[in-house]
Amino acid sequence: AVRVGGGVRVSGGAGGGAGGSGRALWDRGDCDMRLTWPEALTADDHSKAATKVRTYFGLEPDTRPYTGAFFERLGGGGDRGEVRDVITAEDLVAVSMLSVAVPAGAAIRILGRDGRRISDLLREIPTALDLVDVAPELINASWPAWQLWDVLHGMYGVGPVTAGKLVARKRTGLLPVYDTVVAERVGGPDGFWQAPHRHLSGDATCGQRKKMQ
């Protein structure tokens, strides 16, 4: 599953390059954004999906949580009050729970000279905002969340997926994680931020809401 606005996030998967070049994943604004949801999420009986979630978080008998279960929760979360507007060393560790690594040079920039620019952008992104509540016309290259992704992706060795996971760590209800694991389950549409937004909101500009398949 993909966490978008209060659900559950898929973890694990690839590092920098899922789905090809980074820009193509995010900036298509048209309606050709087909997602195919796993059967467990579309069935009338949600018990299988609930069991998978409980297993993932180690809540079923004789199970241990996947490392990805700690992505949001490590150290109390990346969007907790005292650190919500700064990417910390703890956040760099947290994304490793989702099988990516931030290169040393990029980490030095994030924690050092680029920290102020990153914090300025984070202050423009509410922590309580869910993706479905964002006006669709705002999801473009001038959106602060998109600009933050651009800043991170512009650092040497930080692929589109790693940049996206860093942003998702800071604003957990707003941006879905996208990597090869997610792509295998829901597809690889252009404009990935717009795609789940339109599925969740039923944006009329895309015609009728696409059915989950």
Side-chain angles (χ1 to χ4, degrees):
V2 183
R3 177 174 182 185
V4 278
V8 176
R9 184 189 309 278
V10 165
S11 63
S21 65
R23 176 62 62 183
L25 294 177
W26 317 111
D27 64 355
R28 283 284 295 280
D30 56 34
C31 295
D32 187 20
M33 300 179 185
R34 292 178 294 274
L35 296 178
T36 301
W37 298 103
E39 183 179 354
L41 293 180
T42 59
D44 292 335
D45 181 1
H46 299 302
S47 60
K48 289 184 179 180
T51 298
K52 289 178 182 293
V53 171
R54 289 194 298 268
T55 300
Y56 185 80
F57 286 97
L59 301 177
E60 284 290 289
D62 301 318
T63 63
R64 299 176 61 183
Y66 285 71
T67 56
F70 297 94
F71 168 67
E72 294 178 9
R73 299 181 291 165
L74 188 71
D79 58 353
R80 68 188 189 276
E82 63 271 26
V83 298
R84 66 185 183 184
D85 295 329
V86 59
I87 294 181
T88 67
E90 199 170 67
D91 297 321
L92 303 184
V93 174
V95 296
S96 73
M97 305 294 109
L98 299 184
S99 305
V100 299
V102 177
I108 292 168
R109 288 182 58 179
I110 290 168
L111 301 176
R113 73 174 194 256
D114 291 322
R116 178 171 294 183
R117 172 62 173 154
I118 289 169
S119 291
D120 287 345
L121 289 168
L122 282 169
R123 277 190 284 271
E124 295 185 51
I125 309 169
T127 56
L129 187 65
D130 282 349
L131 180 62
V132 71
D133 298 319
V134 179
E137 64 271 15
L138 296 181
I139 305 176
N140 57 53
S142 64
W143 189 31
W146 197 314
Q147 292 181 50
L148 178 57
W149 181 88
D150 271 336
V151 168
L152 296 168
H153 183 40
M155 298 180 185
Y156 180 78
V158 178
V161 169
T162 300
K165 289 178 178 179
L166 280 167
V167 179
R169 161 74 178 177
K170 302 309 295 181
R171 297 294 183 263
T172 57
L174 182 60
L175 297 175
V177 164
Y178 183 79
D179 58 18
T180 54
V181 174
V182 178
E184 288 172 1
R185 301 307 301 266
V186 304
D190 292 329
F192 185 73
W193 290 341
Q194 295 99 325
H197 179 277
R198 288 178 174 173
H199 272 270
L200 290 169
S201 66
D203 187 350
T205 63
C206 257
Q208 69 177 49
R209 187 176 183 174
K210 296 181 177 70
K211 294 181 179 180
M212 294 181 181
Q213 297 176 348

